[in-house]
Amino acid sequence: MLSDRPTKLVPPVLARMAAWSGCLILVGVVVYFIVQAIARLAFVALPVAIALLLTALLFPLTNALRNAGMRPIYATWITMLVALAVLVGTGWLVGARASEEFPNLVEQVQDTARSVQEWLIQGPLHLEQTQITGYVDELATMLNAQRTAITGTVLSAGAVAVEVLASIVLLLFVTFFLLKDGDRIWSWFLKGFGGVSPRVDRAGRAAWATLSHYVQGTVAVAAVHGLIMGIVLAGMGVPLWAPLAVLIFFASFIPIVGIFFAGTIATLVTLGAKGLVYALIFLGILIVEQQLENHVLQPLIVGRALNFHPLAIILVLSVGGILAGIAGAAVAVPVAAVIYRALPELRHQPPELPPGHSDAPPGDDPPPPPPPSPGPRPAGAPRDAFEARDEPRGAAGPGATGDKHGEDTE
């Protein structure tokens, strides 16, 4: 036939590749428009994403209070107040330590700079004082040249602060209602999917379990990492050890890249305050502790929820950083883990339900149960009387004609 002729001219492999290419192009177009919509709604999307992470972290406390007999509204308020108290206490500790130790840090940096200057003059490099002065003057000139840009950034920070404040308010509202009414919100959401709601329900529950395990495990690992590095910095007598420990804690939420950034800052502060030897010692301890975290803590605590290769993590972080900056890099890995765990549940067929159970969406009335089927004819029972039960109403038989014998037998 004429309609089959073009198909016969194309090899089957090429036809399959063309079909796959068309599907990939269609999926790529859909993903592109979704990403563009999220980028335009970043003011809403980012607080909602952070609220989901906070909900996954705080929900065990709310659930424990509910199981203890407390009403959901009271359990949610107590959870939010506890989280706020932890944040305020941490901020007060960091601010107090920073204001107390910053002058000492300046003095130690000046002493270290004088020691480095003497080493450059009297050491193996044998630099002259005029050369060092020239390098310092060039650095000062570069800073003065960037003063205008820095001033403009500070002035524009006022408008950014208003947006950040509004985002924080939205984040708190979303977190509060997710903790209080998360199950009701999910049931309402499932009603929009009709017959496929069981698949969506399974995918959502798998995604939520993955997100909860990832967030709680990452917080535990980051707390251990920040605590150990804080103890090391305090033991070395490095100023601002508490702010640096908090910085290492928050940087641990961004895999690979975050600890590199925070470790570099902590090493530079140690170098400026205590000298090269202490900086090298701290860097060695940081590397050893990071290796123990990657090979022991991460596989044991987070590995079950996130089984990604480091190359996949780097690629996901790069895409998230390009799309949404630091915040995108922070949420890119959990988002990828959630999608990776939810897709198989969407593809799989729902399991067969036992008799009497409904596969209808939540909130719908279940169908009426089927009528019971008659069992085998008992021994000694009249054949015509027992078989009359099997015949439907309106069919030929004693039960349909109103025969007295048939009615008594039933």
Side-chain angles (χ1 to χ4, degrees), residues 248-266:
I248 292 174
F249 169 77
F250 284 108
S252 298
F253 286 91
I254 305 177
I256 301 174
V257 178
I259 192 59
F260 176 79
F261 171 75
T264 301
I265 294 178

PDB file of all heavy atoms in Angstrom, residues 248-266:
ATOM      1  N   ILE A 248      30.132  26.790  58.933  1.00  0.00           N
ATOM      2  CA  ILE A 248      30.401  25.429  58.456  1.00  0.00           C
ATOM      3  C   ILE A 248      29.136  24.581  58.524  1.00  0.00           C
ATOM      4  O   ILE A 248      28.867  23.763  57.633  1.00  0.00           O
ATOM      5  CB  ILE A 248      31.538  24.804  59.284  1.00  0.00           C
ATOM      6  CG1 ILE A 248      32.857  25.526  59.002  1.00  0.00           C
ATOM      7  CG2 ILE A 248      31.687  23.326  58.977  1.00  0.00           C
ATOM      8  CD1 ILE A 248      34.004  25.073  59.876  1.00  0.00           C
ATOM      9  N   PHE A 249      28.310  24.775  59.565  1.00  0.00           N
ATOM     10  CA  PHE A 249      27.059  24.030  59.693  1.00  0.00           C
ATOM     11  C   PHE A 249      26.128  24.310  58.518  1.00  0.00           C
ATOM     12  O   PHE A 249      25.607  23.389  57.875  1.00  0.00           O
ATOM     13  CB  PHE A 249      26.387  24.388  61.015  1.00  0.00           C
ATOM     14  CG  PHE A 249      24.972  23.894  61.134  1.00  0.00           C
ATOM     15  CD1 PHE A 249      24.711  22.564  61.406  1.00  0.00           C
ATOM     16  CD2 PHE A 249      23.907  24.762  60.960  1.00  0.00           C
ATOM     17  CE1 PHE A 249      23.403  22.103  61.510  1.00  0.00           C
ATOM     18  CE2 PHE A 249      22.603  24.316  61.068  1.00  0.00           C
ATOM     19  CZ  PHE A 249      22.353  22.981  61.344  1.00  0.00           C
ATOM     20  N   PHE A 250      25.904  25.594  58.225  1.00  0.00           N
ATOM     21  CA  PHE A 250      24.986  25.933  57.126  1.00  0.00           C
ATOM     22  C   PHE A 250      25.582  25.580  55.766  1.00  0.00           C
ATOM     23  O   PHE A 250      24.842  25.192  54.841  1.00  0.00           O
ATOM     24  CB  PHE A 250      24.638  27.422  57.171  1.00  0.00           C
ATOM     25  CG  PHE A 250      23.646  27.779  58.236  1.00  0.00           C
ATOM     26  CD1 PHE A 250      24.037  28.478  59.360  1.00  0.00           C
ATOM     27  CD2 PHE A 250      22.325  27.409  58.121  1.00  0.00           C
ATOM     28  CE1 PHE A 250      23.136  28.805  60.351  1.00  0.00           C
ATOM     29  CE2 PHE A 250      21.403  27.723  59.100  1.00  0.00           C
ATOM     30  CZ  PHE A 250      21.810  28.419  60.233  1.00  0.00           C
ATOM     31  N   ALA A 251      26.899  25.686  55.618  1.00  0.00           N
ATOM     32  CA  ALA A 251      27.522  25.345  54.342  1.00  0.00           C
ATOM     33  C   ALA A 251      27.449  23.859  54.050  1.00  0.00           C
ATOM     34  O   ALA A 251      27.502  23.450  52.887  1.00  0.00           O
ATOM     35  CB  ALA A 251      28.978  25.805  54.330  1.00  0.00           C
ATOM     36  N   SER A 252      27.308  23.034  55.091  1.00  0.00           N
ATOM     37  CA  SER A 252      27.232  21.580  54.883  1.00  0.00           C
ATOM     38  C   SER A 252      25.950  21.169  54.182  1.00  0.00           C
ATOM     39  O   SER A 252      25.854  20.032  53.704  1.00  0.00           O
ATOM     40  CB  SER A 252      27.348  20.861  56.230  1.00  0.00           C
ATOM     41  OG  SER A 252      28.597  21.135  56.849  1.00  0.00           O
ATOM     42  N   PHE A 253      24.951  22.059  54.101  1.00  0.00           N
ATOM     43  CA  PHE A 253      23.721  21.722  53.386  1.00  0.00           C
ATOM     44  C   PHE A 253      23.926  21.735  51.872  1.00  0.00           C
ATOM     45  O   PHE A 253      23.080  21.206  51.138  1.00  0.00           O
ATOM     46  CB  PHE A 253      22.610  22.703  53.758  1.00  0.00           C
ATOM     47  CG  PHE A 253      22.052  22.475  55.126  1.00  0.00           C
ATOM     48  CD1 PHE A 253      22.589  23.118  56.218  1.00  0.00           C
ATOM     49  CD2 PHE A 253      21.013  21.595  55.328  1.00  0.00           C
ATOM     50  CE1 PHE A 253      22.095  22.919  57.487  1.00  0.00           C
ATOM     51  CE2 PHE A 253      20.497  21.374  56.590  1.00  0.00           C
ATOM     52  CZ  PHE A 253      21.046  22.040  57.675  1.00  0.00           C
ATOM     53  N   ILE A 254      25.000  22.356  51.400  1.00  0.00           N
ATOM     54  CA  ILE A 254      25.327  22.340  49.974  1.00  0.00           C
ATOM     55  C   ILE A 254      26.457  21.334  49.786  1.00  0.00           C
ATOM     56  O   ILE A 254      27.597  21.621  50.176  1.00  0.00           O
ATOM     57  CB  ILE A 254      25.741  23.731  49.470  1.00  0.00           C
ATOM     58  CG1 ILE A 254      24.660  24.758  49.788  1.00  0.00           C
ATOM     59  CG2 ILE A 254      26.014  23.702  47.975  1.00  0.00           C
ATOM     60  CD1 ILE A 254      25.026  26.172  49.385  1.00  0.00           C
ATOM     61  N   PRO A 255      26.183  20.158  49.248  1.00  0.00           N
ATOM     62  CA  PRO A 255      27.224  19.131  49.177  1.00  0.00           C
ATOM     63  C   PRO A 255      28.430  19.597  48.357  1.00  0.00           C
ATOM     64  O   PRO A 255      28.303  20.319  47.367  1.00  0.00           O
ATOM     65  CB  PRO A 255      26.509  17.946  48.501  1.00  0.00           C
ATOM     66  CG  PRO A 255      25.060  18.192  48.718  1.00  0.00           C
ATOM     67  CD  PRO A 255      24.892  19.685  48.725  1.00  0.00           C
ATOM     68  N   ILE A 256      29.604  19.189  48.808  1.00  0.00           N
ATOM     69  CA  ILE A 256      30.894  19.363  48.138  1.00  0.00           C
ATOM     70  C   ILE A 256      31.293  20.841  48.068  1.00  0.00           C
ATOM     71  O   ILE A 256      32.327  21.253  48.583  1.00  0.00           O
ATOM     72  CB  ILE A 256      30.891  18.737  46.737  1.00  0.00           C
ATOM     73  CG1 ILE A 256      30.586  17.244  46.830  1.00  0.00           C
ATOM     74  CG2 ILE A 256      32.235  18.947  46.042  1.00  0.00           C
ATOM     75  CD1 ILE A 256      30.425  16.547  45.486  1.00  0.00           C
ATOM     76  N   VAL A 257      30.449  21.670  47.445  1.00  0.00           N
ATOM     77  CA  VAL A 257      30.797  23.069  47.232  1.00  0.00           C
ATOM     78  C   VAL A 257      30.749  23.854  48.538  1.00  0.00           C
ATOM     79  O   VAL A 257      31.615  24.702  48.804  1.00  0.00           O
ATOM     80  CB  VAL A 257      29.862  23.694  46.182  1.00  0.00           C
ATOM     81  CG1 VAL A 257      30.179  25.158  45.970  1.00  0.00           C
ATOM     82  CG2 VAL A 257      29.964  22.930  44.867  1.00  0.00           C
ATOM     83  N   GLY A 258      29.754  23.597  49.375  1.00  0.00           N
ATOM     84  CA  GLY A 258      29.585  24.376  50.590  1.00  0.00           C
ATOM     85  C   GLY A 258      30.744  24.247  51.558  1.00  0.00           C
ATOM     86  O   GLY A 258      31.240  25.243  52.087  1.00  0.00           O
ATOM     87  N   ILE A 259      31.206  23.026  51.789  1.00  0.00           N
ATOM     88  CA  ILE A 259      32.297  22.835  52.728  1.00  0.00           C
ATOM     89  C   ILE A 259      33.599  23.397  52.173  1.00  0.00           C
ATOM     90  O   ILE A 259      34.468  23.839  52.942  1.00  0.00           O
ATOM     91  CB  ILE A 259      32.430  21.339  53.081  1.00  0.00           C
ATOM     92  CG1 ILE A 259      33.353  21.153  54.280  1.00  0.00           C
ATOM     93  CG2 ILE A 259      32.910  20.543  51.893  1.00  0.00           C
ATOM     94  CD1 ILE A 259      32.915  21.864  55.509  1.00  0.00           C
ATOM     95  N   PHE A 260      33.754  23.395  50.863  1.00  0.00           N
ATOM     96  CA  PHE A 260      34.945  24.010  50.272  1.00  0.00           C
ATOM     97  C   PHE A 260      34.963  25.506  50.543  1.00  0.00           C
ATOM     98  O   PHE A 260      36.001  26.075  50.923  1.00  0.00           O
ATOM     99  CB  PHE A 260      34.969  23.730  48.771  1.00  0.00           C
ATOM    100  CG  PHE A 260      36.099  24.402  48.044  1.00  0.00           C
ATOM    101  CD1 PHE A 260      37.375  23.879  48.082  1.00  0.00           C
ATOM    102  CD2 PHE A 260      35.880  25.567  47.320  1.00  0.00           C
ATOM    103  CE1 PHE A 260      38.424  24.503  47.420  1.00  0.00           C
ATOM    104  CE2 PHE A 260      36.911  26.203  46.656  1.00  0.00           C
ATOM    105  CZ  PHE A 260      38.198  25.663  46.711  1.00  0.00           C
ATOM    106  N   PHE A 261      33.819  26.163  50.396  1.00  0.00           N
ATOM    107  CA  PHE A 261      33.725  27.602  50.642  1.00  0.00           C
ATOM    108  C   PHE A 261      33.952  27.922  52.115  1.00  0.00           C
ATOM    109  O   PHE A 261      34.782  28.780  52.475  1.00  0.00           O
ATOM    110  CB  PHE A 261      32.355  28.105  50.189  1.00  0.00           C
ATOM    111  CG  PHE A 261      32.056  29.520  50.570  1.00  0.00           C
ATOM    112  CD1 PHE A 261      32.641  30.575  49.900  1.00  0.00           C
ATOM    113  CD2 PHE A 261      31.185  29.798  51.623  1.00  0.00           C
ATOM    114  CE1 PHE A 261      32.369  31.885  50.264  1.00  0.00           C
ATOM    115  CE2 PHE A 261      30.903  31.096  51.988  1.00  0.00           C
ATOM    116  CZ  PHE A 261      31.501  32.138  51.302  1.00  0.00           C
ATOM    117  N   ALA A 262      33.223  27.239  53.021  1.00  0.00           N
ATOM    118  CA  ALA A 262      33.357  27.526  54.445  1.00  0.00           C
ATOM    119  C   ALA A 262      34.738  27.148  54.967  1.00  0.00           C
ATOM    120  O   ALA A 262      35.308  27.857  55.807  1.00  0.00           O
ATOM    121  CB  ALA A 262      32.276  26.775  55.230  1.00  0.00           C
ATOM    122  N   GLY A 263      35.286  26.026  54.485  1.00  0.00           N
ATOM    123  CA  GLY A 263      36.625  25.633  54.923  1.00  0.00           C
ATOM    124  C   GLY A 263      37.692  26.620  54.499  1.00  0.00           C
ATOM    125  O   GLY A 263      38.654  26.871  55.242  1.00  0.00           O
ATOM    126  N   THR A 264      37.529  27.197  53.304  1.00  0.00           N
ATOM    127  CA  THR A 264      38.493  28.208  52.849  1.00  0.00           C
ATOM    128  C   THR A 264      38.471  29.435  53.747  1.00  0.00           C
ATOM    129  O   THR A 264      39.523  29.962  54.141  1.00  0.00           O
ATOM    130  CB  THR A 264      38.180  28.605  51.395  1.00  0.00           C
ATOM    131  OG1 THR A 264      38.255  27.441  50.563  1.00  0.00           O
ATOM    132  CG2 THR A 264      39.177  29.639  50.898  1.00  0.00           C
ATOM    133  N   ILE A 265      37.272  29.913  54.105  1.00  0.00           N
ATOM    134  CA  ILE A 265      37.180  31.082  54.980  1.00  0.00           C
ATOM    135  C   ILE A 265      37.768  30.782  56.355  1.00  0.00           C
ATOM    136  O   ILE A 265      38.530  31.590  56.914  1.00  0.00           O
ATOM    137  CB  ILE A 265      35.710  31.537  55.094  1.00  0.00           C
ATOM    138  CG1 ILE A 265      35.205  32.038  53.734  1.00  0.00           C
ATOM    139  CG2 ILE A 265      35.560  32.626  56.151  1.00  0.00           C
ATOM    140  CD1 ILE A 265      33.759  32.466  53.742  1.00  0.00           C
ATOM    141  N   ALA A 266      37.430  29.618  56.916  1.00  0.00           N
ATOM    142  CA  ALA A 266      37.965  29.273  58.234  1.00  0.00           C
ATOM    143  C   ALA A 266      39.483  29.131  58.207  1.00  0.00           C
ATOM    144  O   ALA A 266      40.178  29.549  59.149  1.00  0.00           O
ATOM    145  CB  ALA A 266      37.317  27.978  58.727  1.00  0.00           C
TER     146      ALA A 266
END
